Amino acid sequence: METIRITGGRPLRGTLAVQGSKNAVLPILAATAAIPGRFLLRNCPAIRDVTVTLALLAGLGLRTTMEHGLVTVDSRGPLGSASDPALAGKLRSSVLLLGALLARLGEAEIPLPGGCVLGKRPLDLHLRGLETLGVRVCPENGRLLCRGRPEGGTVILPYPSVGATENLMLAALGATGPVCLIGAAQEPEIRDLAAFLTDCGADITGAGTPCIRIRPAPLHGAVHRILPDRMEAATWLCAAAATGGDLTLTNLLPDQLRPVIDVLRRAGCEITESQTSLSLRAGSLQAPGAVVTGPYPAFPTDAQATVMAALLRASGVTLFQETVFSNRFRHIPALRAMGARIETTGDLARVRGVSALHGAVVTATDLRGGAAMVIAALAAQGESQIHDAWHLDRGYGDFILRLRALGAEAHST
Ligand code: UD1
């Protein structure tokens, strides 16, 4: 999508099945390069980051197909160790091929990865962790060259980086001895990666806690169903809350979305849940108090922009503190252009509710920031245009179709 046009003011109503998780499927796809075998992955989202990852895998020599949420990968043939720079530059998670290729081949060559520009995104935790496992790391002309089969050992992560935890889990699959990760990330997507690897024969304990242990084990192909996408779910809930809507989501695990549900409840939304579904009825919104992002199980940084957009008309003042990324307020100028009152200082944003928003022409800055602009446009009076809407293709499948199915007046070019 280049541009999304939205005429706002219509409440979103209806039922939607949440797609499979972007942040779970990407490390799992990287893992298929680490293990020779055949893989069948169900509930895969039809998003650009998956298409790009499949192309990256094909470039390494894996055979892949994707149809109706079903991905197959055959990684039994010979593999190259260098990934395509143009493709790898398009997404941050391409860095996970480092761990996967080191596990399988004992060498890997990766261009410095891309992804959303959310501030400084160094790879020091990934690389120091790999060095602790005996891998030699040489950055060279915008590429990372890594050599050496990982050894067993203990890696202490000073910050629970999601990507570094995943990369080290993948490298550990090929290690000559047991690997212990201390200070690991605890996100549900880490648990899903561990569940997939366990299906492949890996011996992993502790995923979902700060201490993960991986012991050497024979590995093989597997069938796995990808976790539902808690960030896509948060986006739809925020869109319903912002527009005074009434929405039921199926195929999600509400427990993994607890901090977002709590904020929306405190803001006045009526939310009922079962184990795998959730219904939201929006009332008149009030400021729910402070929203502070942090590593799981704290409030997720990926829902900061969308929840902010949902609360632009909530009465009172909502304070947002972004503690995970140094530059994740890039959506705010666009929200201001639609009439929002937001002041920022450092990692704080203070949102004072306004009685109405109006349409505007804005430009998406990143995936979730773009989704926040869409939510504000849905709640605004009049027409909005969101340019550079390709950012949304990275993480939302059939986005316009799904918006329209819920009653939105939305078009894309
Ligand atoms: C993943 C998610 C992203 C989410 C983020 C935090 C995927 C594909 N992306 O990104 O959607 O917003 O987790 O939940 O799963 N850091 C370092 N050094 C490192 C690695 C990270 O300083 O080596 C810092 C980052 O700059 C950032 C913080 O740690 O400030 C969190 O990053 P990390 O948890 O690694 O996020 P990603 O894995 O990039």
Side-chain angles (χ1 to χ4, degrees):
M1 296 185 289
E2 278 307 314
T3 299
I4 300 177
R5 286 190 166 71
I6 290 176
T7 304
R10 293 181 169 209
L12 291 203
R13 294 210 170 93
T15 299
L16 204 67
V18 174
Q19 70 182 20
S21 164
K22 167 175 103 59
N23 288 355
V25 74
L26 298 179
I28 287 174
L29 285 173
T32 63
I35 305 166
R38 289 171 68 186
F39 303 89
L40 181 65
L41 304 175
R42 300 185 199 283
N43 200 34
C44 291
I47 56 176
R48 198 177 58 128
D49 276 10
V50 167
T51 320
V52 172
T53 305
L54 291 177
L56 264 174
L57 293 178
L60 291 170
L62 288 80
R63 288 164 56 190
T64 67
T65 64
M66 175 162 188
E67 212 173 346
H68 305 306
L70 206 66
V71 166
T72 65
V73 180
D74 185 342
S75 61
R76 292 171 298 173
L79 241 65
S81 63
S83 63
D84 180 315
L87 288 172
K90 287 189 180 176
L91 75 176
R92 167 84 178 177
S93 61
S94 56
V95 74
L96 300 180
L97 288 172
L98 267 189
L101 293 173
L102 282 165
R104 172 116 175 230
L105 304 173
E107 61 176 21
E109 191 178 326
I110 301 281
L112 289 170
C116 286
V117 184
L118 309 174
K120 271 196 327 189
R121 292 185 87 174
L123 293 175
D124 55 319
L125 303 177
H126 300 242
L127 303 183
R128 266 194 262 139
L130 290 173
E131 283 173 339
T132 305
L133 298 181
V135 171
R136 293 184 306 284
V137 176
C138 321
E140 205 184 86
N141 298 333
R143 294 178 77 78
L144 283 168
L145 309 179
C146 295
R147 298 275 179 274
R149 191 161 290 285
E151 297 159 5
T154 297
V155 178
I156 299 175
L157 288 164
Y159 182 87
S161 155
V162 174
T165 301
E166 292 165 346
N167 223 342
L168 294 166
M169 286 168 76
L170 297 184
L173 295 174
T176 50
V179 171
C180 182
L181 305 179
I182 311 243
Q186 302 173 60
E187 268 69 1
E189 294 76 17
I190 302 279
R191 284 207 304 267
D192 203 35
L193 175 60
F196 167 74
L197 296 175
T198 304
D199 292 344
C200 298
D203 180 352
I204 302 186
T205 52
T209 77
C211 179
I212 303 177
R213 277 174 203 282
I214 300 145
R215 296 178 188 82
L219 302 170
H220 47 73
V223 176
H224 184 77
R225 183 180 166 81
I226 303 296
L227 187 76
D229 194 323
R230 60 196 170 105
M231 296 314 158
E232 195 216 10
T235 303
W236 294 119
L237 292 178
C238 290
T243 57
D246 189 347
L247 179 69
T248 295
L249 295 179
T250 60
N251 186 38
L252 89 162
L253 299 167
D255 269 345
Q256 298 180 351
L257 206 54
R258 191 57 53 208
V260 174
I261 293 172
D262 286 349
V263 166
L264 292 175
R265 275 207 176 111
R266 289 205 305 275
C269 296
E270 202 182 299
I271 297 179
T272 51
E273 4 172 336
S274 76
Q275 264 183 353
T276 57
S277 71
L278 184 151
S279 297
L280 176 145
R281 185 193 294 259
S284 67
L285 298 177
Q286 73 243 2
V291 176
V292 182
T293 67
Y296 192 84
F299 187 94
T301 173
D302 283 354
Q304 176 254 110
T306 47
V307 167
M308 187 182 290
L311 296 174
L312 298 176
R313 293 189 300 155
S315 62
V317 173
T318 311
L319 189 68
F320 287 85
Q321 184 175 20
E322 172 56 59
T323 75
V324 178
F325 288 106
S326 58
N327 187 15
R328 210 167 193 181
F329 285 151
R330 296 183 349 128
H331 49 283
I332 289 180
L335 301 183
R336 285 194 190 118
M338 296 183 189
R341 280 183 66 188
I342 309 174
E343 290 161 22
T344 54
T345 331
D347 65 357
L348 297 177
R350 185 184 291 271
V351 178
R352 186 175 293 279
V354 292
S355 54
L357 298 167
H358 52 78
V361 178
V362 296
T363 301
T365 48
D366 60 271
L367 171 60
R368 306 299 168 189
M373 293 170 204
V374 167
I375 291 168
L378 291 168
Q381 299 301 319
E383 194 190 277
S384 294
Q385 289 178 30
I386 296 131
H387 294 305
D388 284 357
W390 55 266
H391 282 287
L392 286 104
D393 294 328
R394 290 193 42 222
Y396 298 95
D398 291 332
F399 190 60
I400 296 296
L401 277 179
R402 283 150 86 72
L403 270 176
R404 292 167 72 140
L406 296 176
E409 203 177 320
H411 307 270
S412 66
T413 50

